């Protein structure tokens, strides 16, 4: 019997459907009382385990081999943690006419999270770009984001983000940074086990994120915060995110050309510098926003699906460019193991 596969022509990531199904379950059967306490504790443990795996997967030595291409990596980091947040701050003028305060907070948080890894690599490869550079750029972004995203959120969101304080930053350190560093320290002994069981642990990753989403949206339902969002507001959010993505795609493509990068490097910069990681953003939002996390991650979930659909079309068109006829040297097998993400397109 042949194994059933998701049709390649469908533009929707199947994992996004699972996420939406989890949101629907939380809306119909939110965790309450003791169930909510159990779900919250399990979610906290799942987040710590996620970042422990991220640390154990990342080969620091292999990642640092890419430092020689420092101009490209600095460009991607600048797009991810400077240009994106500046555009997010500029969108404040849309509040409260287009976006309410909660949706704007979620939009601004979206601009602060790291870039993706897996999908950046996949699209760069499809478009015949610099795959090793995409691997290193995505890994650097994820590594830097573990520290920089919470700091940027504390600085730019302040009290509007659900109560940022020294306690919030302490939670970030304990739930995200400490497990990540523990994974790095233990990688020498457990790295081989993780590589051999990559597929199974990928399911654990995705299941953990689904648990985080269920807990966050359950808390939102119990708190009644979904009454703050109307279909008109959601339509406005989608329009704003479409403009945000279009602007970043244009800046990364034409800006990298102005900086003198070749075609292969420009492709890596465009795909690594224009996208945001759902896998990293969801756990961070759960820690930072608490009961308000459901609205905070909604813009990220919508943007993630939008970037996958748009970048898939761009990658296919880039692969047919006349300039793409020259073959690109594939990434070494060792480099393919440094990706930090869920092991799916939803990184």
């Amino acid at each position: 019997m042949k194994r059933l596969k998701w049709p390649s022509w469908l533009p929707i990531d199947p994992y996004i459907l699972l996420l939406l199904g989890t949101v629907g379950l939380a809306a119909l059967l939110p965790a309450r009382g003791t169930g909510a306490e159990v779900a919250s504790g399990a979610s906290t443990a799942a987040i710590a385990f996620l970042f422990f795996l991220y640390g154990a997967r990342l080969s620091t030595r292999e990642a640092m081999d890419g430092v020689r291409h420092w101009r490209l990596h600095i460009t991607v980091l600048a797009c991810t943690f400077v240009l994106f947040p500046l555009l997010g701050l500029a969108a404040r003028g849309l509040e409260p006419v287009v976006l309410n305060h909660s949706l704007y907070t979620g939009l601004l948080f979206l601009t602060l999270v790291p870039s993706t890894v897996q999908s950046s690599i996949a699209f760069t490869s499809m478009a015949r770009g610099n795959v090793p550079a995409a691997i290193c750029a995505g890994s650097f972004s994820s590594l830097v984001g573990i520290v920089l995203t919470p700091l940027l959120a504390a600085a730019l969101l302040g009290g509007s983000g659900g109560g940022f304080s020294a306690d919030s930053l302490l939670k970030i350190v304990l739930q995200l940074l400490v497990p990540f560093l523990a994974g790095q320290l233990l990688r020498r002994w457990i790295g081989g086990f993780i590589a051999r069981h990559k597929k199974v642990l990928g399911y654990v990753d995705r299941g953990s994120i689904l648990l985080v989403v269920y807990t966050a949206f359950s808390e939102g339902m119990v708190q009644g915060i979904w009454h703050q969002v109307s279909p008109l507001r959601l339509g406005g959010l989608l329009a704003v995110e479409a403009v945000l993505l279009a602007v970043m795609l244009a800046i990364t493509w034409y800006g990298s050309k102005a900086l003198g990068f070749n075609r292969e490097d420009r492709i890596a910069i465009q795909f690594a510098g224009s996208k945001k990681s759902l896998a990293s953003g969801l756990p961070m939002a759960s820690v930072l926003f608490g009961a308000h996390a459901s609205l905070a991650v909604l813009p990220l979930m919508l943007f993630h699906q939008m970037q996958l659909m748009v970048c898939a079309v761009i990658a296919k068109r880039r692969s047919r460019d006349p300039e793409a006829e020259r073959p690109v040297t594939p990434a070494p097998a060792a480099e393919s193991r440094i990706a930090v993400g869920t092991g799916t397109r939803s990184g």
Side-chain angles (χ1 to χ4, degrees):
M1 182 179 294
K2 293 183 178 180
R3 183 181 178 184
L4 293 177
K5 293 184 178 181
W6 187 258
S8 59
W9 51 268
L10 286 179
I12 299 177
D13 183 348
Y15 190 63
I16 291 293
L17 295 181
L18 286 176
L19 288 170
L20 293 176
T22 303
V23 172
L25 178 63
L28 295 174
L29 298 171
R32 300 176 183 270
T34 303
E37 294 178 4
V38 172
S40 178
S43 177
T44 299
I47 291 170
F49 185 62
L50 273 175
F51 279 81
F52 173 79
L53 289 179
Y54 292 168
R57 286 188 182 119
L58 179 63
S59 172
T60 307
R61 181 183 59 80
E62 291 169 356
M64 293 307 294
D65 286 343
V67 171
R68 61 181 180 274
H69 211 348
W70 60 270
R71 288 184 63 246
L72 185 148
H73 302 314
I74 289 178
T75 300
V76 171
L77 290 176
C79 291
T80 303
F81 296 113
V82 179
L83 292 180
F84 253 117
L86 287 176
L87 291 174
L89 290 173
R92 189 183 297 274
L94 301 175
E95 181 191 351
V97 178
V98 179
L99 303 174
N100 61 25
H101 180 69
S102 297
L103 290 181
Y104 170 71
T105 299
L107 179 71
L108 183 56
F109 173 74
L110 146 72
T111 66
L112 307 180
V113 303
S115 176
T116 63
V117 180
Q118 292 294 96
S119 57
S120 296
I121 297 169
F123 290 136
T124 299
S125 177
M126 184 187 304
R128 303 185 187 182
N130 189 336
V131 176
I135 293 172
C136 292
S139 299
F140 289 156
S141 179
S142 295
L143 184 60
V144 171
I146 290 176
V147 176
L148 193 55
T149 295
L151 293 178
L152 287 173
L156 299 182
L157 293 173
S160 66
F164 285 104
S165 61
D167 183 59
S168 298
L169 293 180
L170 179 61
K171 288 182 179 179
I172 285 290
V173 171
L174 294 178
Q175 293 186 40
L176 306 184
L177 186 57
V178 170
F180 179 86
L181 293 176
Q184 279 279 283
L185 292 174
L186 295 176
R187 174 181 166 79
R188 177 179 177 183
W189 296 279
I190 65 175
F193 175 84
I194 288 177
R196 290 192 301 271
H197 298 85
K198 179 173 57 178
K199 186 174 182 180
V200 174
L201 291 175
Y203 291 130
V204 173
D205 279 1
R206 286 170 280 176
S208 299
I209 290 174
L210 292 177
L211 176 60
V212 170
V213 170
Y214 174 76
T215 303
F217 277 84
S218 287
E219 291 179 354
M221 289 298 299
V222 173
Q223 295 289 333
I225 62 176
W226 279 100
H227 296 297
Q228 304 174 26
V229 182
S230 66
L232 186 61
R233 293 288 191 186
L234 287 178
L237 174 63
L238 285 171
V240 171
E241 291 192 333
V243 172
L244 176 64
L245 179 59
V247 169
M248 286 306 302
L249 286 169
I251 288 176
T252 50
W253 183 249
Y254 294 106
S256 57
K257 181 179 182 180
L259 291 174
F261 288 99
N262 61 33
R263 178 188 178 278
E264 288 77 14
D265 288 348
R266 290 172 64 197
I267 289 174
I269 291 171
Q270 183 176 52
F271 290 128
S274 65
K275 297 206 298 304
K276 292 295 184 175
S277 173
L278 190 69
S280 296
L282 285 176
M284 288 182 180
S286 180
V287 175
L288 290 170
F289 292 93
H292 300 273
S294 55
L295 282 183
V297 302
L298 180 62
L300 179 59
M301 291 174 62
L302 295 176
F303 187 83
H304 179 80
Q305 179 57 41
M306 186 183 296
Q307 71 187 12
L308 289 179
M309 296 170 66
V310 172
C311 289
V313 173
I314 293 175
K316 289 179 181 178
R317 293 189 62 180
R318 295 265 186 265
S319 68
R320 295 193 293 266
D321 287 348
E323 300 176 45
E325 293 180 358
R326 183 171 61 85
V328 178
T329 303
E335 287 183 309
S336 66
R337 295 195 297 268
I338 70 173
V340 181
T342 63
T344 71
R345 289 192 299 160
S346 298

